[in-house]
Amino acid sequence: MDLELTDAQRGARDVARRFAREKLGPIGVEADRSHQYPSAAIDELARLGMLGIFLPEQYGGAGLDHVAYSLVLEELAVECASTAVIMSAHCSLASWPILGLGTAQQKDHFLPKMATGSWLGCFALTEPQAGSDAAGQKTRAVRDGDSYVINGTKNFITNAPQSKVAIVFAMTQPDKGHHGISAFAVETDTPGWAVTRVEDKMGIHGAHSAQLSFSDMRVPRENLLLEEGQGFKVAMKTLDGGRIGIASQALGIARASLEASLKYAQERLTFGKPIAQYQAIQWKLADMAVEIDAARLLTHR
């Protein structure tokens, strides 16, 4: 494995670092405290091309790789975990399944808007009684001519209140378990789509997660991802990439914790000297730094 970063990867990281320090640093804590969606920061992130970071240039994306993507998310999460989560859900969970598994028509329709950030995306899999157990979901999609009619409820859907497109999973053949799940790219202005509750979470409050309700929501058949019954495959392949995003966010949060700890250790005095001069504290800080480096290398691999 080549551990050296390319010029493009370094460039993306450096742009993200400057943006995070200048734009997110002043708002990160307040966004979490006030539950305020950082709309201005997301708009600026879109103008920098970060919301289409790994989308090909033909769709208006930056055409970079997932290492660059990871580096950018880490930098954002250092200053504002909410902004990093918003970007990660949009890129990994909403854009990638269309890019990796969609038809040419689906890519042409959705990806240029998602690359520029004019359409934010979300991923609607989890339900009140079905989280990791995707086969236990109750949402149904019934074929009706050239459309599917979808009814059901989804829970904890990040970006849902702001999204213009969603990857929605529903049972088309309930008797087949996970082989009966299908996936759809849905425009959220479709009649029958409703955000019914924004969750009050334990943290990362600036990234809104919501409950969704689908009531006779009619989705064209051409919005089906892959074939009917292949939704579980769509979900699992998408979540593989989603884990890269989650790991990168965790890296940024851990790095922010280390930086705060180091600053405190240099300022806190006991017996006339900073606690950073005590070996026990130095060991703690060194262990934190080593674990973060190890996690970063594993994430990039």
Side-chain angles (χ1 to χ4, degrees):
M1 178 185 177
D2 184 0
L3 300 179
E4 290 297 318
L5 299 179
T6 66
D7 289 342
Q9 290 164 351
R10 289 193 191 94
R13 178 199 63 193
D14 293 346
V15 168
R17 183 174 294 172
R18 285 194 298 272
F19 167 77
R21 288 176 176 173
E22 294 173 6
K23 304 295 185 179
L24 300 183
I27 69 162
V29 172
E30 184 55 32
D32 197 59
R33 180 182 293 120
S34 67
H35 298 214
Q36 182 69 39
Y37 179 79
S39 56
I42 298 301
D43 289 345
E44 180 65 20
L45 203 59
R47 284 192 288 272
L48 291 173
M50 296 301 184
L51 296 186
I53 186 166
F54 58 70
L55 294 179
E57 293 179 7
Q58 72 184 91
Y59 302 117
L64 299 178
D65 61 15
H66 272 70
V67 173
Y69 173 55
S70 176
L71 291 164
V72 167
L73 283 178
E74 178 184 338
E75 295 300 330
L76 301 182
V78 169
E79 301 292 349
C80 179
S82 294
T83 299
V85 169
I86 293 164
M87 176 177 165
S88 180
H90 170 77
C91 293
S92 291
L93 302 183
S95 299
W96 184 88
I98 298 173
L99 173 66
L101 304 171
T103 64
Q105 180 184 359
Q106 290 167 349
K107 294 174 186 178
D108 289 341
H109 179 69
F110 289 103
L111 293 183
K113 302 177 185 70
M114 299 177 81
T116 62
S118 60
W119 280 16
L120 197 71
C122 66
F123 179 86
L125 175 64
T126 301
E127 298 188 2
Q129 303 300 324
S132 299
D133 178 19
Q137 65 179 290
K138 303 300 183 184
T139 298
R140 298 287 184 263
V142 178
R143 181 78 180 271
D144 182 24
D146 291 332
S147 301
Y148 286 87
V149 178
I150 302 178
N151 287 278
T153 302
K154 298 293 180 179
N155 260 22
F156 309 126
I157 309 305
T158 300
N159 288 353
Q162 293 81 24
S163 288
K164 298 297 184 182
V165 57
I167 308 301
V168 174
F169 296 85
M171 282 289 188
T172 46
Q173 295 174 289
D175 57 321
K176 291 189 175 182
H178 68 269
H179 292 294
I181 302 171
S182 297
F184 304 86
V186 177
E187 296 179 35
T188 63
D189 60 359
T190 302
W193 166 285
V195 175
T196 51
R197 182 178 71 233
V198 176
E199 305 292 351
D200 185 10
K201 303 179 296 185
M202 294 177 68
I204 315 186
H205 296 120
H208 295 167
S209 299
Q211 183 180 81
L212 299 175
S213 175
F214 310 134
S215 178
D216 291 333
M217 183 173 69
R218 186 173 291 271
V219 178
R221 187 179 186 282
E222 58 261 30
N223 289 33
L224 179 69
L225 288 169
L226 294 182
E227 299 295 329
E228 186 175 302
Q230 294 194 33
F232 188 76
K233 178 180 178 180
V234 174
M236 294 301 101
K237 284 184 171 290
T238 301
L239 292 171
D240 282 344
R243 293 181 181 102
I244 296 172
I246 295 294
S248 304
Q249 296 161 38
L251 275 171
I253 294 169
R255 208 180 91 204
S257 300
L258 172 59
E259 292 173 4
S261 299
L262 180 60
K263 183 175 183 292
Y264 179 78
Q266 292 169 331
E267 295 173 348
R268 173 76 168 102
L269 302 178
T270 64
F271 302 100
K273 61 181 181 181
I275 61 172
Q277 293 184 21
Y278 296 111
Q279 190 176 56
I281 301 300
Q282 293 170 358
W283 281 348
K284 290 178 183 290
L285 294 169
D287 285 345
M288 291 169 70
V290 168
E291 290 185 12
I292 291 169
D293 267 357
R296 182 180 296 110
L297 291 169
L298 182 58
T299 300
H300 290 182
R301 189 176 79 180

